[in-house]
């Protein structure tokens, strides 16, 4: 009887222990699940719900941003191409000669184009950063362009500040030539008159050059007085000679007296160009020796037709003429009254081509070499 009671007691104790152990194990697993598993589930949920959604939005946003950037880039390219304009400024080269240089200037308001080009002729002004090596502006530093007035006869009245008076006497002619040739690049400007601080000037303020009638291209540029020329039998003519600069080839206009024979003005001008610049000028002969006209020039409806011998060509087999030779001929001859374009032919050649291989099928105008417009 005692044995049976002892067995029952032991059995009850073992059952209780098993129940306690079983409850402890379950509660422990539940606690681990509650502490460890939910944070993992939460992180995975964040990853699954948020990251893919953010990734999809990023791709869409990136695509939109790239599209917008592309459009902005195109707009900027468009602005950069339309927000600047090519202008011809007459600057001083390393030899102190007044020469034309084409530069890209910001597009101004339509009524400010002439004022702008003058502002870019001022020393230490906005042109400084874009000056080619060896070139300098010509107007005295600090000069202010107060205003301009274009009269019906093509006279442009330029009103500048008193700072204009600070130039050196030896620079007076260069200043006049630079201003005049820069402004007369506009096709409706024929001459320039100078006012200083609202007062009309009859002569230049430093060296007294007379300007009461204004100043035009007829007054010349880089005027050179050659010896042995009969001024009564000659005519002042501007010839263009190429010059190799530090960075590019540019053209130097020289006004000199050219002998006029047999009243054939065009032939005399071409002949003077073929002979090259005077020996006392810092310029080099550039046209092949023996180059000359093979026939008399013909002028019809603004087009001057010239026929040269083969020596004018830089490559006879290809009928190629040097670009600087063609440009010199066109710039020089279109300075002559009524000459709007030049047709260049070479005897025994059906056509003449440029150095890039383009045939000269049409007469070449000055605008093809130096673009012009009105103000």
């Amino acid at each position: 009887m005692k044995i049976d009671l002892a067995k029952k007691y032991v059995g009850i104790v073992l059952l209780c222990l098993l129940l306690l152990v079983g409850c402890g194990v379950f509660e422990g697993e539940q606690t681990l699940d509650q502490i460890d598993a939910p944070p993992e589930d939460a992180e995975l949920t964040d990853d699954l719900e948020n990251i893919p959604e953010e990734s999809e939005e990023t791709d869409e946003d990136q695509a939109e941003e790239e599209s917008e950037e592309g459009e902005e880039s195109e707009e900027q390219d468009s602005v950069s191409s339309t927000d600047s304009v090519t202008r011809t400024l007459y600057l001083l080269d390393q030899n102190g000669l007044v020469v034309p240089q084409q530069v890209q200037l910001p597009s101004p308001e339509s009524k400010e184009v002439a004022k702008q080009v003058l502002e870019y002729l001022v020393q230490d002004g906005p042109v400084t950063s874009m000056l080619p090596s060896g070139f300098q502006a010509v107007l005295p530093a600090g000069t202010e362009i107060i205003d301009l007035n274009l009269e019906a006869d093509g006279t442009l009245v330029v009103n500048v500040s008193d700072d204009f008076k600070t130039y050196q006497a030896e620079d007076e002619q260069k200043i006049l030539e630079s201003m005049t040739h820069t402004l007369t690049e506009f096709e409706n400007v024929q001459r320039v008159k100078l006012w200083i601080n609202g007062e009309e000037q009859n002569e230049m303020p430093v060296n007294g050059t007379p300007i009461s009638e204004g100043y035009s291209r007829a007054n010349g540029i880089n005027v050179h007085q050659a010896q042995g020329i009969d001024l009564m039998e000659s005519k002042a003519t501007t010839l263009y000679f190429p010059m190799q600069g530090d960075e590019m080839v540019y053209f130097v206009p020289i006004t000199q007296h050219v002998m006029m024979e047999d009243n054939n003005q065009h032939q005399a001008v071409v002949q003077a160009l073929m002979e090259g610049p005077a020996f006392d000028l810092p310029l080099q002969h550039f046209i092949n020796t023996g180059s000359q006209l093979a026939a008399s020039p013909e002028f019809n409806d603004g087009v001057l037709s010239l026929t040269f011998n083969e020596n004018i060509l830089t490559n006879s087999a290809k009928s190629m003429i040097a670009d600087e030779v063609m440009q010199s001929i066109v710039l020089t001859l279109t300075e002559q009254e009524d000459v709007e374009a030049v047709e260049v032919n070479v005897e025994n050649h059906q056509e003449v081509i440029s150095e890039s291989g383009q045939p000269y099928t049409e007469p070449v105008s000055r605008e093809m070499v130096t673009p012009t417009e009105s103000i």
Side-chain angles (χ1 to χ4, degrees):
M1 184 71 171
K2 291 181 179 180
I3 295 173
D4 292 337
L5 290 173
K7 289 180 178 179
K8 287 182 180 181
Y9 178 76
V10 172
I12 291 171
V13 173
L14 291 173
L15 179 60
C16 290
L17 289 173
L18 290 171
L19 289 173
L20 289 172
V21 172
C23 290
V25 171
F26 178 77
E27 290 176 356
E29 290 175 354
Q30 187 180 31
T31 303
L32 289 173
D33 290 341
Q34 289 175 343
I35 294 175
D36 296 334
E40 288 184 3
D41 292 344
E43 291 176 2
L44 287 173
T45 300
D46 290 340
D47 291 344
L48 292 173
E49 291 181 356
N50 297 330
I51 292 180
E53 291 178 359
E54 291 177 358
S55 178
E56 290 175 0
E57 292 176 0
T58 302
D59 290 343
E60 292 177 359
D61 293 344
Q62 184 175 359
E64 291 179 1
E65 290 174 2
E66 289 177 353
S67 176
E68 291 175 358
E69 289 175 357
E71 291 176 359
E72 291 177 359
S73 178
E74 290 179 1
E75 290 177 359
Q76 290 174 355
D77 290 343
S78 176
V79 169
S80 63
S81 63
T82 59
D83 218 27
S84 64
V85 62
T86 302
R87 301 292 188 205
T88 300
L89 305 179
Y90 281 74
L91 307 170
L92 293 181
D93 73 355
Q94 57 190 353
N95 298 307
L97 297 171
V98 183
V99 300
Q101 280 291 297
Q102 290 189 350
V103 296
Q104 290 292 321
L105 303 185
S107 293
E109 296 181 4
S110 59
K111 296 181 179 180
E112 299 292 328
V113 291
K115 183 178 181 180
Q116 182 195 46
V117 296
L118 284 179
E119 291 173 340
Y120 275 79
L121 292 180
V122 178
Q123 295 175 3
D124 301 330
V127 75
T128 303
S129 61
M130 60 182 65
L131 285 173
S133 176
F135 289 82
Q136 59 179 315
V138 63
L139 298 186
T143 299
E144 178 188 352
I145 312 303
I146 300 175
D147 53 50
L148 300 96
N149 180 39
L150 181 62
E151 299 178 347
D153 65 349
T155 299
L156 184 64
V157 178
V158 178
N159 185 22
V160 298
S161 65
D162 285 326
D163 298 288
F164 178 84
K165 300 177 181 179
T166 61
Y167 62 85
Q168 300 298 312
E170 60 268 22
D171 293 331
E172 185 166 278
Q173 197 68 31
K174 299 173 184 178
I175 289 172
L176 273 172
E177 294 172 0
S178 172
M179 292 178 61
T180 299
H181 280 72
T182 295
L183 291 171
T184 53
E185 285 288 336
F186 297 107
E187 57 189 11
N188 56 341
V189 178
Q190 302 302 317
R191 67 188 57 82
V192 176
K193 278 191 175 182
L194 179 68
W195 288 32
I196 298 179
N197 204 22
E199 296 184 3
E200 183 176 1
Q201 306 295 304
N202 292 320
E203 61 182 28
M204 289 290 283
V206 177
N207 207 35
T209 302
I211 54 173
S212 60
E213 300 300 321
Y215 215 79
S216 71
R217 291 197 173 207
N219 293 98
I221 182 171
N222 299 315
V223 178
H224 180 261
Q225 299 292 347
Q227 297 181 353
I229 296 292
D230 186 345
L231 299 183
M232 297 299 294
E233 299 295 330
S234 62
K235 179 181 179 180
T237 302
T238 299
L239 310 177
Y240 284 78
F241 300 105
M243 179 73 175
Q244 178 63 59
D246 294 338
E247 301 174 358
M248 85 291 283
V249 174
Y250 60 94
F251 293 86
V252 180
I254 300 292
T255 299
Q256 63 185 55
H257 276 78
V258 174
M259 294 295 297
M260 297 297 168
E261 299 178 2
D262 301 327
N263 295 321
N264 195 330
Q265 177 177 327
H266 297 141
Q267 183 164 334
V269 172
V270 173
Q271 182 59 37
L273 191 62
M274 297 298 102
E275 292 173 358
F279 292 110
D280 55 346
L281 289 173
L283 303 171
Q284 296 179 345
H285 193 83
F286 68 103
I287 295 180
N288 296 334
T289 303
S291 299
Q292 61 183 13
L293 287 170
S296 297
E298 297 181 4
F299 183 68
N300 186 29
D301 293 332
V303 177
L304 181 65
S305 297
L306 304 175
T307 301
F308 293 91
N309 62 8
E310 287 187 335
N311 290 344
I312 198 72
L313 299 174
T314 188
N315 187 323
S316 180
K318 295 182 178 180
S319 302
M320 180 183 295
I321 187 170
D323 292 342
E324 61 266 23
V325 172
M326 176 63 81
Q327 287 181 273
S328 295
I329 292 172
V330 172
L331 289 171
T332 297
L333 272 302
T334 53
E335 284 280 349
Q336 302 302 304
E337 187 177 3
D338 299 328
V339 177
E340 299 173 1
V342 180
E343 180 183 59
V344 173
N345 303 296
V346 176
E347 60 179 357
N348 302 322
H349 292 261
Q350 292 185 348
E351 64 180 8
V352 177
I353 66 172
S354 68
E355 291 182 18
S356 63
Q358 296 297 317
Y360 290 106
T361 57
E362 299 291 337
V364 182
S365 67
R366 191 182 191 87
E367 287 72 22
M368 295 178 182
V369 179
T370 305
T372 61
E373 61 178 291
S374 300
I375 62 172

